Amino acid sequence: MSDTIDVGVARTLEAVERDIASFGPSFPDNATVDGKYLPRPSAYGMGPGGNYGWTTSFRTAERWMAWQLDGDDKFKEAALEDVGSFERRIFEGIDTDTHDLGFLYSLSSIPAWGMVGLDTARRAALAAADKLMTRFWEKAGIIQAWGSLDDPEQSCRTIIDSLMNTPLLYWATQETGDSRYAEAAHRHTAALRDNIVRPDDSTFHTFYWDAKTGEPLRGATHQGYSDSSCWARGQAWGIYGFSLGYRYTGDVTFLETAERCAKYFLAHLPADHVSYWDLVFTDGSGEPRDSSAAAIAACGLLEMAEMGECFSRTRVAGGSSATAEEIAATGELPMSLTCARDVSEEVEYYRGWARKIVDSLAENYTDLPADSTAMIAHGVYSKPGGAGVDEANLWGDYFYMEALMRLAKPEWRPYW
Ligand code: GLY
């Protein structure tokens, strides 16, 4: 391990310890205020710190990772306390009309089942998968992201972030033997591959289908700069989400789509490798960065690097369409899956980029108050919505810690 990774891991462990001391079982808000988390505001009949919204499991997963890194059972106990709250949440139906059930249960209950054998956690995660399936539109083949199914503004609309919710469904098929979950996840990912990724490899944040006919309608943004720009975090969700789709299905078109998303993302990074909140902006724009997009992209690139052996299998199956010299001559990024050459270049290429991004986050984006429970500063939740602008956020912290974990312990299996 290098110094940056060693120091990064040590600092994230300290932040998790501070979170347990300050918050215990109560959940911090999505983003910091002046670099420090406050408890989540009262909502859904719960006092401050209740378990609602899409981000609470990131804190739980940090506790799980801290346990795996350090071995101290105080981390496991704290994680398990959260897991109890996730059981209550799904069985009492607290803020569960959302596609974010994948984020929520992949990072909390599934590790509790996988690492501790907690059967109640398994049942909660399966209930979450069943609830997520109620949002699947059969004709369009997509999972609706937000709102109720008959809300005209949200009906048959999805968002690129949704790709991260599909591992819950693949897991449910693995656990139960019922293929419906994985089939829905596969169809959803294919629909996004065909519609949410634009011909120039950038992505829409959100996309609408016709609920009656299932026909694709149009892309639009919600948190990006404009309908035609490329929201940085959305592009990062694409890198990681399509890579995970490939891991679970072996569908090589998903890996190719992840590569297209990565190519566009990397080509639009500023000098310090940490993207602005929308990829339309670059150095000199005066706009804020989104460190969370950088952390998510780093994890996606590391996932792609791990798929190196699969690149090799694909290449054997796909035959040769270009030589290494031809690719070098075009100056293109090494993207072609059908060229016949040593695959170590792709693996090293993606790992190298992930490493540059993580190094920059560790060196330039950790300027937080000493007693903060956050890990990386300078994220953006929603610039158009004026939420969490130039602040730390729970998912940025989680993905930064996941990237460090992947680099520090290559044998570690992500919870997704
Ligand atoms: N998944 C919500 C967001 O990235 O803001």
Side-chain angles (χ1 to χ4, degrees):
M1 245 198 292
S2 78
D3 270 4
T4 317
I5 304 302
D6 271 338
V7 171
V9 165
R11 288 196 176 148
T12 55
L13 279 173
E14 285 162 16
V16 178
E17 288 197 307
R18 283 195 295 275
D19 164 70
I20 292 172
S22 324
F23 286 95
S26 104
F27 288 93
D29 206 355
N30 300 318
T32 57
V33 177
D34 297 329
K36 290 166 79 164
Y37 287 111
L38 301 171
R40 291 175 106 67
S42 304
Y44 296 94
M46 299 179 285
N51 188 351
Y52 65 90
W54 71 280
T55 62
T56 45
S57 60
F58 295 118
R59 186 284 288 278
T60 310
E62 288 165 13
R63 293 176 171 189
W64 282 127
M65 283 191 288
W67 181 51
Q68 290 190 281
L69 279 164
D70 180 273
D72 189 325
D73 278 350
K74 74 178 175 216
F75 295 118
K76 178 179 80 170
E77 297 310 324
L80 283 172
E81 205 159 5
D82 281 7
V83 168
S85 159
F86 280 98
E87 286 169 18
R88 290 190 293 281
R89 179 166 172 175
I90 192 69
F91 291 122
E92 290 172 22
I94 302 166
D95 192 19
T96 52
D97 287 324
T98 165
H99 72 144
D100 290 318
L101 294 162
F103 278 108
L104 294 168
Y105 287 84
S106 289
L107 295 180
S108 59
S109 304
I110 292 179
W113 166 240
M115 296 196 289
V116 185
L118 190 67
D119 191 54
T120 48
R122 176 180 181 274
R123 278 191 268 132
L126 286 175
D130 282 334
K131 181 79 181 166
L132 185 53
M133 286 294 284
T134 66
R135 305 182 70 76
F136 185 68
W137 285 91
E138 185 58 44
K139 276 204 174 126
I142 63 109
I143 298 161
Q144 182 174 323
W146 298 318
S148 70
L149 299 177
D150 55 8
D151 175 346
E153 183 52 28
Q154 303 301 347
S155 182
C156 220
R157 178 189 197 186
T158 196
I159 67 175
I160 192 160
D161 328 24
S162 63
L163 294 167
M164 301 302 289
N165 293 315
T166 59
L168 174 68
L169 299 179
Y170 292 119
W171 171 85
T173 287
Q174 285 167 357
E175 282 295 309
T176 62
D178 182 342
S179 61
R180 283 178 313 115
Y181 305 100
E183 281 160 14
H186 196 147
R187 285 188 64 197
H188 178 83
T189 308
L192 267 66
R193 173 199 62 204
D194 295 342
N195 295 287
I196 217 161
V197 183
R198 304 180 182 119
D200 69 353
D201 303 336
S202 67
T203 52
F204 291 111
H205 179 192
T206 86
F207 202 92
Y208 292 87
W209 280 258
D210 184 305
K212 286 203 182 77
T213 66
E215 285 302 306
L217 293 177
R218 68 181 191 285
T221 199
H222 181 65
Q223 281 153 264
Y225 175 70
S226 73
D227 286 347
S228 59
S229 72
C230 182
W231 180 48
R233 192 156 69 252
Q235 193 76 10
W237 290 135
I239 299 171
Y240 202 175
F242 284 114
S243 305
L244 290 173
Y246 178 58
R247 190 213 294 168
Y248 279 103
T249 64
D251 183 334
V252 77
T253 65
F254 294 165
L255 181 58
E256 288 167 344
T257 311
E259 291 188 294
R260 291 174 57 202
C261 292
K263 179 178 178 178
Y264 190 92
F265 187 87
L266 296 176
H268 288 79
L269 290 184
D272 76 353
H273 314 312
V274 172
S275 56
Y276 288 85
W277 67 277
D278 190 296
L279 298 181
V280 77
F281 299 117
T282 188
D283 289 332
S285 63
E287 292 290 327
R289 311 297 178 118
D290 180 9
S291 57
S292 74
I296 295 161
C299 291
L301 292 166
L302 289 169
E303 176 71 22
M304 287 168 65
E306 260 200 44
M307 297 289 132
E309 277 183 31
C310 310
F311 285 169
S312 154
R313 281 205 297 278
T314 308
R315 191 148 294 127
V316 170
S320 167
S321 68
T323 64
E325 290 72 27
E326 283 167 348
I327 288 176
T330 64
E332 288 286 322
L333 301 175
M335 291 294 173
S336 170
L337 276 169
T338 52
C339 74
R341 64 185 165 78
D342 184 353
V343 296
S344 58
E345 194 175 331
E346 275 102 336
V347 172
E348 288 316 313
Y349 180 80
Y350 290 123
R351 194 166 285 133
W353 263 108
R355 194 51 215 266
K356 279 196 245 188
I357 292 171
V358 172
D359 283 352
S360 184
L361 289 172
E363 284 156 23
N364 308 315
Y365 290 82
T366 49
D367 50 326
L368 289 155
D371 58 347
S372 176
T373 56
M375 298 174 188
I376 50 168
H378 308 299
V380 169
Y381 186 2
S382 174
K383 182 82 185 336
V389 176
D390 199 23
E391 290 287 349
N393 53 57
L394 291 176
W395 58 96
D397 290 347
Y398 165 78
F399 285 102
Y400 175 59
M401 191 170 177
E402 181 189 310
L404 289 169
M405 183 78 165
R406 283 174 173 268
L407 290 166
K409 289 190 176 295
E411 72 284 3
W412 178 72
R413 302 309 317 146
Y415 307 139
W416 304 102

